[in-house]
Amino acid sequence: MINILSLFDGISCARVALDRAGIKINNFYASEIDKYAIQIAQKNYPDTIQLGDIKNIKCYPNYIETKNGVYGISEIDLLIGGSPCQDLSIAKKDRKGLDGVRSGLFWEYVRILNEVKPKYFILENVNSMPKEAKALITETLGVEPVMIDAALVSAQRRKRLFWVGKWDGTKYEQVNIPQPEDRGILLKDILET
């Protein structure tokens, strides 16, 4: 059983994936500020420990401190997250990149990664980000991203970058993630009459 810290948790889609992969969870800590996303996460996973705003989380060797309280932890096995993409996405005019208010929360992810030093981490974000932002994230995390298009497993084209690392005791090393098998799902396959 593992301990998870999910930053920018949303409706806990990462937990759904972990469940479907058969990974047993001891504690699932979540940082999210959207009250509706939290309601859905808590309805589906009432044992989720909600930590609140990422900016108010402080991590120490044996506990996490937030405005919501202090939580004793033994070790975080997996840190998951993807800072908001609005300032990185090509869909936004005049995007500010990692200096933007939303996408700049990536630096909070990095702070917590350095404080917690989990056994593994996964960071996800849009493939359409500027090359400079991709290079800076890669340099900061010390691992190369893998691009995966959701079209391989769904009826939606949605290219995302995933940085995945494993702690070796001194630094994070690359974890190679294979591409999912193309399931050949088309829009016509999911439309209802």
Side-chain angles (χ1 to χ4, degrees), residues 6 11 15 22-24 30 48 51 67 71 73 75 79 85 100-101 106 108 112 131 147 164 178 180:
S6 177
I11 62 170
R15 188 154 183 192
I23 296 172
K24 301 292 182 204
T48 297
L51 303 177
K67 285 188 174 181
Y71 305 92
I73 58 166
E75 183 174 37
L79 176 67
C85 67
V101 173
F106 161 74
E108 293 291 330
I112 290 175
K131 290 178 187 174
M147 192 281 291
V164 183

Side-chain angles (χ1 to χ4, degrees), residues 88 125-130 134 147-148 158-161:
L88 292 169
N125 219 304
V126 294
N127 185 55
S128 67
M129 70 176 63
K134 178 180 172 184
M147 192 281 291
I148 299 176
R158 194 169 169 90
K159 294 180 180 179
R160 292 292 182 265
L161 296 174

Side-chain angles (χ1 to χ4, degrees), residues 24 29 31 37 48 51-52 63-64 66 71 85 99 111-112 120 124 131 135 140 144-145 149 157 165 177 182 184:
K24 301 292 182 204
Y29 302 93
S31 172
T48 297
L51 303 177
Y63 66 98
I64 296 174
T66 73
Y71 305 92
C85 67
D99 294 326
R111 175 184 63 81
I112 290 175
Y120 294 90
E124 172 273 334
K131 290 178 187 174
T140 302
E144 292 290 327
D149 189 343
R157 180 161 303 280
I177 304 298
D182 188 349

Side-chain angles (χ1 to χ4, degrees), residues 13 41 46 63 88 93 105 122 139 142 161-162 171 182 191:
C13 288
Y63 66 98
L88 292 169
K93 195 175 186 177
L105 290 171
I122 300 172
E139 179 184 343
L161 296 174
F162 294 86
K171 66 179 180 356
D182 188 349
L191 291 178

Side-chain angles (χ1 to χ4, degrees), residues 35-54:
K35 68 180 183 178
Y36 300 111
I38 293 169
Q39 286 174 1
I40 293 169
Q42 290 306 122
K43 183 175 186 326
N44 293 328
Y45 300 102
D47 62 337
T48 297
I49 302 163
Q50 292 291 340
L51 303 177
D53 191 333
I54 189 171

